[in-house]
Amino acid sequence: MIKGVLFDFDGTLANTIDLIVATFEHTCDTALGFKPARQRIVDTIGLPLGDALELLSGIHEEERILELRQIYGAFNAANHDIMIKPIPGVTELLPKLKERGIKLAVVTSKKAYMLERGMQCLGMLPYIDTTVSVLDTERGKPAPDPMLLACERLGLAPRECLCVGDSPFDLQSGNAAGCVTVAVEYTQLNWQNLLEQGKPDYTIAHPLDLLKLIDIL
């Protein structure tokens, strides 16, 4: 019986793809004089920011990555509220899940204050029971640690929770933790790669399809 849902945030609950791409483009262009291809940026979504910056920039020195983080953070903060949008159907889904007594968590590679800001912008805060952000665990996605911590905070076993995400890293984390994993078909990442690398137990085409899946399970 499913008693909890562990949601990724970016790309699963919130449409932040244009914000993320613009922020990485600005960061690399400002510091390094080039803009990574959009698809290369999209393929890093779900990773901790430092890991994504290393992959996109080719830089591994801690001091330089810190510089890139600062540029990224300033641009993202300045443009966040005007560019973030809810995924269609999520606004209807969350209260319906709460009506059923399902506990909800958001598990993200974002920092806690930016996650809270995003949820507040989209009116999601009243429905979320707990969150796990990038600094809450020593290892981030795709390691199981973030999902395991979310389950612990909800007071549920991993097998009682759906892990819902739009990237292979979300699903790999959920699978490793022992959750039931669900890939969202509205992802902007490569779908075939998501299936092959994430190996989801189920897929859904629309957020509200999650209610049907819970009924089946």
Side-chain angles (χ1 to χ4, degrees):
M1 182 177 179
I2 298 302
K3 299 179 181 179
V5 181
L6 318 180
F7 287 107
D8 171 57
F9 188 70
D10 293 312
T12 302
L13 295 179
N15 182 354
T16 53
I17 186 75
D18 290 336
L19 171 64
I20 291 170
V21 169
T23 307
F24 274 116
E25 287 179 341
H26 171 81
T27 300
C28 290
D29 193 30
T30 300
L32 306 170
F34 78 95
K35 294 181 180 180
R38 180 184 177 91
Q39 191 58 51
R40 283 199 66 212
I41 295 172
V42 170
D43 288 342
T44 69
I45 292 176
L47 285 175
L49 177 57
D51 294 347
L53 286 169
E54 285 193 22
L55 285 172
L56 294 171
S57 69
I59 292 172
H60 305 289
E61 294 86 354
E62 187 174 341
E63 187 174 328
R64 294 294 309 282
I65 293 297
L66 178 59
E67 175 190 348
L68 296 180
R69 280 179 174 276
Q70 291 170 341
I71 297 170
Y72 184 102
F75 183 92
N76 191 274
N79 293 275
H80 178 276
D81 294 2
I82 60 174
M83 295 187 73
I84 189 171
K85 299 177 179 64
I87 296 290
V90 166
T91 302
E92 295 80 13
L93 172 65
L94 297 182
K96 289 181 181 296
L97 288 171
K98 296 306 291 183
E99 287 170 8
R100 296 184 178 207
I102 302 292
K103 295 182 179 181
L104 304 181
V106 176
V107 184
T108 180
S109 295
K110 301 166 79 77
K111 288 187 176 180
Y113 74 94
M114 287 305 295
L115 173 60
E116 183 173 356
R117 181 170 167 180
M119 292 194 298
Q120 185 167 7
C121 284
L122 302 179
M124 297 178 182
L125 282 175
Y127 306 108
I128 305 302
D129 297 294
T130 193
T131 63
V132 174
S133 55
V134 68
L135 298 180
D136 287 338
T137 57
E138 185 174 344
R139 298 185 303 170
K141 304 174 191 178
D145 307 34
M147 300 301 172
L148 290 172
L149 180 57
C151 292
E152 180 183 330
R153 289 179 172 176
L154 291 178
L156 299 175
R159 67 180 180 276
E160 297 176 310
C161 295
L162 297 180
C163 167
V164 184
D166 72 312
S167 85
F169 311 115
D170 303 323
L171 303 173
Q172 289 165 0
S173 180
N175 283 329
C179 301
V180 179
T181 53
V182 183
V184 299
E185 296 176 20
Y186 52 83
T187 180
Q188 297 198 45
L189 280 67
N190 182 285
W191 180 244
Q192 196 58 39
N193 287 345
L194 179 58
L195 294 178
E196 291 174 0
Q197 297 174 23
K199 295 180 171 56
D201 296 308
Y202 300 94
T203 67
I204 57 171
H206 187 275
L208 289 170
D209 292 341
L210 202 61
L211 299 172
K212 302 173 190 174
L213 177 59
I214 290 173
D215 286 341
I216 292 170
L217 296 177

